[in-house]
């Protein structure tokens, strides 16, 4: 079970349609595949999707920090010693996505070594997640058409609508068009990616107050400390925190300061080991969570589904797990499918999926 090597392989896969939102745009998945090798010949794999506009990491920085700091921290430990590797990686500040990928690749290697599913090792609450689809910036008509296609093709009836940065009345028009086009039975919530001031957020939420939103996510920057608290106190909608809560300490800070009522958990930035601490913290405090999406490919989406299905709390809400559908290609040997609005956790040891080595050779950018 001893780790003998950790690889960090950069690759690039275009999106058929770029994902645009208030804090940035992703046209190409410039991710890093992290592979943990053991002396038993087992290989555990996970994906690192750098998001410079959110965490400051880039593809090159993920490759470098894994190669220079995290691989040496992991080599020589057993795949059971996830806490040891976590503590060693923790000595380096930041780099949440690189740390998370090393952690999840260790879990995959552990599951494969034991012949057990990671989702079952994590908790095994259920075998699937309901899916929420994230709608990036387009015109109101295009966003309605995308939502209808997701409903008609995949049975998805929950949508996260990107808002912020562009004129807020356009966002109101989008949400109104979605509600009118899709009816009262679909669930809608908005994500501002820090794109509004507290005043703009208050105005926009007031203008959308008849549209039956479930909640609002990260409307204003975490540095707007009092503004966010004011918004949370005055809005009738629960406010969820996303990019402001990358660690258990940040979750604690946002919840105790009154700036947030709910928490987005992204395995791409917390991994499974730290993600479970966030679940415990939120359950203890009686706070709702949502499994978020970091514009993941299929491997990242499998991690979200495995973790979301593992615990009662994380399986309550639909998980954001459909953005891989917009990619022009992928690394998995067998594609994921979303049917009747649900994504099943792949069965089998570890994360339950295999890589297509030919696809990796095609998309990797380091050879
Ligand atoms: C989200 O929920 O904010 C956008 C940027 C990112 O890192 O994740 C996405 C989705
Ligand atoms: Mg978000």
């Amino acid at each position: 079970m001893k780790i003998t090597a950790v690889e960090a392989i950069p690759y690039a896969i275009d999106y058929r349609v770029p994902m645009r939102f208030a804090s940035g745009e992703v046209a190409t998945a410039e991710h890093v595949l992290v592979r943990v090798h053991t002396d038993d010949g087992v290989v555990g794999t996970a994906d690192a999707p750098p998001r410079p506009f959110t965490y400051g990491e880039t593809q090159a920085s993920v490759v470098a920090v894994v190669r220079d700091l995290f691989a040496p921290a992991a080599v020589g430990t057993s795949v059971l010693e996830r806490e040891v590797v976590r503590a060693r990686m923790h000595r380096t500040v930041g780099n949440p996505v690189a740390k998370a990928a090393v952690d999840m690749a260790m879990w995959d290697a552990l599951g494969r070594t034991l012949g057990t599913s990671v989702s079952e090792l994590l908790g095994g609450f259920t075998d699937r997640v309901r899916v929420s689809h994230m709608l990036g910036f387009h015109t109101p008509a295009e966003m309605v058409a995308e939502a209808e296609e997701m409903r008609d093709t995949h049975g998805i009836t929950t949508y996260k609508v990107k808002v912020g940065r562009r004129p807020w009345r356009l966002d109101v028009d989008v949400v109104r068009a979605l509600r009118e086009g899709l009816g009262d039975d679909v669930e809608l919530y908005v994500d501002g990616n820090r794109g509004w001031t507290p005043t703009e957020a208050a105005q926009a939420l007031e203008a959308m107050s008849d549209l039956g939103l479930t909640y609002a996510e990260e409307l204003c920057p975490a540095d707007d400390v009092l503004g966010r608290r004011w918004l949370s106190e005055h809005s009738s909608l629960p406010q969820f925190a996303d990019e402001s809560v990358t660690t258990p300490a940040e979750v604690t800070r946002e919840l105790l300061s009154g700036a947030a009522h709910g928490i987005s958990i992204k395995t791409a930035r917390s991994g499974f080991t730290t993600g479970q601490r966030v679940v415990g913290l939120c359950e203890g405090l009686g706070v709702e969570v949502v499994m978020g999406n970091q514009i993941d490919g299929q491997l990242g989406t499998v991690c979200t589904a495995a973790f979301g299905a593992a615990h009662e709390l994380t399986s309550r809400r639909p998980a954001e797990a459909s953005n891989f559908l917009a990619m022009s290609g992928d690394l998995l040997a067998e594609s994921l499918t979303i049917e009747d609005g649900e994504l099943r956790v792949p069965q089998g040891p570890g994360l339950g999926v295999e890589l297509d080595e030919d696809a990796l050779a095609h998309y990797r950018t380091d050879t």
Side-chain angles (χ1 to χ4, degrees):
M1 289 201 201
K2 276 219 179 318
I3 296 174
T4 53
V6 181
E7 284 181 282
I9 304 170
Y11 68 91
I13 303 178
D14 287 337
Y15 283 83
R16 281 184 283 101
V17 184
M19 181 74 190
R20 289 186 290 123
F21 41 92
S23 56
E25 170 172 336
V26 180
T28 304
E30 292 176 314
H31 295 186
V32 180
L33 190 75
V34 173
R35 298 219 262 203
V36 167
H37 298 258
T38 77
D39 57 1
D40 299 314
V42 170
V43 184
T45 312
D47 198 40
R51 297 291 170 249
F53 42 82
T54 311
Y55 311 112
E57 294 168 284
T58 66
Q59 189 180 47
S61 81
V62 170
V63 170
V65 79
V66 171
R67 183 193 58 217
D68 297 343
L69 296 175
F70 299 160
V75 169
T77 65
S78 151
V79 288
L80 285 167
E81 295 177 290
R82 297 171 311 283
E83 286 289 327
V84 173
V85 175
R86 179 183 185 271
R88 288 181 183 170
M89 291 197 293
H90 202 64
R91 291 181 202 147
T92 300
V93 298
N95 295 281
V97 171
K99 289 174 182 169
V102 173
D103 175 69
M104 294 190 290
M106 284 183 72
W107 277 90
D108 185 35
L110 175 63
R112 286 171 190 272
T113 303
L114 302 177
T116 309
S117 140
V118 164
S119 195
E120 289 177 342
L121 283 174
L122 288 168
F125 181 71
T126 179
D127 64 354
R128 67 196 67 199
V129 289
R130 285 178 300 130
V131 174
S132 164
H133 180 68
M134 184 156 81
L135 294 162
F137 286 172
H138 292 287
T139 64
E142 286 167 330
M143 291 172 74
V144 173
E146 181 178 331
E148 286 173 342
E149 190 198 331
M150 287 294 144
R151 180 195 60 193
D152 299 345
T153 311
H154 301 287
I156 295 174
T157 55
T158 301
Y159 304 93
K160 161 152 131 175
V161 188
K162 288 297 193 184
V163 298
R165 200 190 65 208
R166 46 187 200 170
W168 62 260
R169 288 180 205 284
L170 174 57
D171 294 320
V172 176
D173 290 347
V174 166
V175 177
R176 193 169 296 285
L178 286 163
R179 179 58 79 208
E180 286 170 1
L182 296 160
D184 287 340
D185 291 340
V186 303
E187 189 179 357
L188 301 173
Y189 56 105
V190 293
D191 181 3
N193 287 115
R194 301 162 274 150
W196 281 333
T197 63
T199 309
E200 287 168 331
Q203 286 176 297
L205 292 184
E206 172 64 25
M208 292 190 272
S209 60
D210 61 330
L211 297 176
L213 291 175
T214 311
Y215 68 84
E217 179 173 309
E218 205 82 328
L219 299 181
C220 316
D223 285 353
D224 291 354
V225 180
L226 294 182
R228 274 164 68 104
R229 195 184 305 178
W230 176 88
L231 187 67
S232 288
E233 280 165 5
H234 289 84
S235 168
S236 58
L237 278 187
Q239 303 292 311
F240 275 52
D242 174 11
E243 14 333 14
S244 58
V245 288
T246 63
T247 64
E250 287 174 349
V251 170
T252 308
R253 220 173 283 148
E254 290 307 298
L255 291 173
L256 293 191
S257 77
H261 308 108
I263 297 296
S264 172
I265 299 177
K266 290 181 175 166
T267 51
R269 66 165 175 237
S270 66
F272 297 144
T273 305
T274 300
Q276 286 203 306
R277 284 171 163 79
V278 176
V279 175
L281 182 58
C282 290
E283 188 170 310
L285 291 170
V287 165
E288 283 185 87
V289 305
V290 60
M291 289 307 301
N293 186 319
Q294 205 158 288
I295 320 176
D296 295 297
Q298 295 198 27
L299 182 56
T301 303
V302 167
C303 290
T304 301
F307 191 88
H311 323 89
E312 191 273 335
L313 181 62
T314 53
S315 67
R316 281 188 203 165
R317 287 201 46 77
E320 296 163 8
S322 59
N323 285 93
F324 71 87
L325 294 168
M327 287 174 74
S328 62
D330 201 81
L331 299 183
L332 293 194
E334 202 173 320
S335 281
L336 300 179
T337 54
I338 299 170
E339 287 169 17
D340 298 327
E342 291 181 338
L343 176 65
R344 284 172 171 266
V345 178
Q347 298 299 297
L351 293 169
V353 291
E354 301 300 331
L355 283 193
D356 176 343
E357 294 294 339
D358 291 338
L360 178 59
H362 176 71
Y363 291 119
R364 67 188 294 169
T365 52
D366 60 344
T367 53

